Amino acid sequence: MGFPIIHTNIWDGVIAIPAIVLFIQLIKLMTPIKHRYLPTLATIAGLLLSIFVSHRHSLSAGLFMGFLYGNGAVGLYASLKTAWLAFRKDNNRADEYHPY
């Protein structure tokens, strides 16, 4: 048994990952789910989206890409949150001297 051939394109990353991030944000607003479960929920959403929508032709490709979608969404959210918090922290220091 060899490795599966996975046909993917740029739209998988441009549409699927932000769609999962948006879905998780809506879940956070509408339900009292604990934040520690959100990465697992993102992985499950990525698996469902990949297996049943994006890669219906191959279960192995759907599983691989589903984990990629879910973990990509978690990484995108974490990096955006970190950048936003760093930006806000830098802008709150108006009393510091900046020589530039």
Side-chain angles (χ1 to χ4, degrees), residues 81-98:
K81 183 176 179 181
T82 301
W84 178 253
L85 292 176
F87 173 75
R88 288 190 51 192
K89 184 178 178 183
D90 285 344
N91 283 345
N92 288 337
R93 296 182 184 175
D95 58 342
E96 289 185 12
Y97 173 70
H98 294 289

Side-chain angles (χ1 to χ4, degrees), residues 3-65:
F3 289 110
I5 297 174
I6 300 173
H7 298 285
T8 184
N9 58 30
I10 189 70
W11 299 113
D12 288 339
V14 172
I15 294 174
I17 292 173
I20 293 170
V21 172
L22 182 64
F23 172 71
I24 297 301
Q25 292 301 316
L26 290 174
I27 293 294
K28 277 175 43 177
L29 291 174
M30 297 187 321
T31 63
I33 191 168
K34 293 183 181 179
H35 288 248
R36 64 178 172 223
Y37 299 124
L38 294 176
T40 304
L41 187 62
T43 302
I44 292 169
L47 285 167
L48 292 174
L49 181 67
S50 180
I51 291 170
F52 294 114
V53 177
S54 298
H55 300 281
R56 292 184 300 268
H57 61 278
S58 173
L59 180 62
S60 58
L63 289 172
F64 178 78
M65 292 303 290

Side-chain angles (χ1 to χ4, degrees), residues 62-76:
L63 289 172
F64 178 78
M65 292 303 290
F67 281 109
L68 186 77
Y69 293 166
N71 291 323
V74 171
L76 176 65

